[in-house]
Structures are given as structure tokens and as C-alpha cells.
Amino acid sequence: MEQERMNLLDLQEFDEEAMIRESEELLTIRVLNDKNATFKRTEGGFVALATQEKEYDRVGIYLTFPLTCPEEFISIREADEKAKEIGMIEKLSDLAKDQQEMLREQIRLRYFMPVIEKVLDVKEEYGYAYWHVETGFGVCRFTTQISGDAVVTLGESRLLVTDIDGNRYEIPDFTKLGIGERKKLDLFI
């Protein structure tokens, strides 16, 4: 067994310098703006990026602070399983208007979060809550766990609801809901 391990180590030459370079790359934040980056839409509806050093056929757009700063600190990453960061946009307004809108569209797709406008019913059964709500996209039903962080308070009256499939819903201000609706949320507030 030990001999096999040694043979494997011999086959995989350890390149310490390459590892150091890669570590330094990962720790360096590269700021992207309209002077050093150009975003464009691909035929398939994705986003491509051209920088001064390299072109990327497809990139991923990620929000560092999706709930508190959706227009700032936007991470642009390679669109593979490693999702290595290419750079960071400090403010979306640092880009041309057409590119801002293209990235906003991609952000809306990635961070789709319907707003709950009305709570029609919430029933508890066997440690789960079964929701029936009206959102800006219509009426829907979903299930959350009673325990844990299924409903998180963000600020004084804003709620983030996450169902068992990881889908997120927002209640911007639960104090604006009717008394009956708020009573249905007593399990969580």
C-alpha cells in the first residue's frame, strides 16, 4: 500500500511554484470596469467577457451581498465547475448602461426571489409548514421546515423565506400584511 502511494506521488510531480502562483491569483482582487472589461451577450443568451488579457466565452455573475448590496461587489467567475473568480465589479454603475442591464438580467435569473404579497394560509404538520401564498408571479404553494432558518428576519420587518428545495421568497415588510396574515406567521416571527 505504501509503495502504491509513493508511486502515485512520483507520478504527480509537486510543483510548489505553480501552487504559490495560483494561491496569489486567488488572493488578488481584480477590479473590472468599463476601461478593462467588455461584456456581451452570446447567441445562447449567456454573457461573455473580454478583458485586456483574455476572452471568456461564458461567465457567471454572482452577488457578494445579494440582499443588502445587489448593485455592488459583483463577482464575475468562469462558467465551469470550479467557478474561479475573474474579477469584481465594485459598482454596477461603473459599466456602460447596456452592459449594466445585461448583467441585471442575469442577476434576476440567478437570484429569482418572488415577493410574497399575501399569505393565504400556512399550516403546520409533522415539523413542516405548508404555505399557500400570492406572489408577484401568481399564487403558489411551497413547504418549509418549522425549525432552523426557513424564515429569517432581515432588519425590523423584512423576511426571507426559504423552502425545502432552496427556493427563496421575500416578504419586504410583514407589518403591511393584514392581521390575519401576520397571525399565520406567528410560527416564525
Side-chain angles (χ1 to χ4, degrees):
M1 184 64 121
E2 183 64 28
Q3 183 61 37
E4 286 179 30
R5 196 173 80 102
M6 294 299 287
N7 290 341
L8 186 60
L9 286 175
D10 288 340
L11 291 174
Q12 300 173 341
E13 292 183 33
F14 182 72
D15 188 348
E16 185 177 359
E17 289 178 20
M19 190 175 91
I20 290 170
R21 278 193 309 276
E22 188 174 332
S23 296
E24 287 172 354
E25 267 183 42
L26 290 172
L27 295 172
T28 302
I29 295 177
R30 179 174 176 209
V31 176
L32 300 174
N33 54 43
D34 65 346
K35 293 173 184 62
N36 64 6
T38 303
F39 294 91
K40 61 184 176 185
R41 190 178 309 281
T42 67
E43 286 184 30
F46 298 107
V47 173
L49 169 64
T51 66
Q52 295 165 340
E53 298 83 27
K54 188 174 178 181
E55 290 195 22
Y56 301 87
D57 294 333
R58 182 176 171 196
V59 294
I61 292 91
Y62 297 85
L63 297 177
T64 306
F65 304 105
L67 299 172
T68 55
C69 297
E71 296 272 318
E72 298 176 6
F73 307 110
I74 300 164
S75 175
I76 306 301
R77 302 181 190 171
E78 293 180 6
D80 60 12
E81 63 278 351
K82 290 183 182 179
K84 181 180 171 189
E85 187 171 79
I86 299 165
M88 176 82 63
I89 299 170
E90 288 182 326
K91 292 183 182 177
L92 203 52
S93 59
D94 291 343
L95 300 175
K97 293 278 186 202
D98 62 326
Q99 293 185 38
Q100 289 178 39
E101 286 309 311
M102 184 187 340
L103 295 183
R104 280 190 189 102
E105 177 184 299
Q106 293 296 312
I107 290 166
R108 281 192 297 273
L109 289 171
R110 179 175 300 279
Y111 295 94
F112 179 68
M113 185 168 54
V115 172
I116 295 174
E117 297 172 347
K118 187 170 185 148
V119 178
L120 302 172
D121 197 18
V122 179
K123 291 182 183 178
E124 180 202 357
E125 193 172 295
Y126 303 111
Y128 292 94
Y130 299 90
W131 297 67
H132 184 202
V133 300
E134 190 174 305
T135 73
F137 294 95
V139 174
C140 73
R141 295 177 186 267
F142 60 88
T143 305
T144 64
Q145 292 184 334
I146 293 292
S147 62
D149 56 355
V151 179
V152 177
T153 304
L154 305 171
E156 291 183 28
S157 60
R158 184 177 178 199
L159 299 177
L160 175 67
V161 182
T162 306
D163 71 13
I164 59 174
D165 295 319
N167 301 309
R168 295 174 299 226
Y169 303 84
E170 178 186 12
I171 301 175
D173 186 351
F174 72 83
T175 63
K176 292 184 178 177
L177 297 173
I179 293 171
E181 293 175 279
R182 287 194 308 254
K183 190 155 182 73
K184 292 171 186 168
L185 296 177
D186 280 348
L187 286 166
F188 306 103
I189 301 173

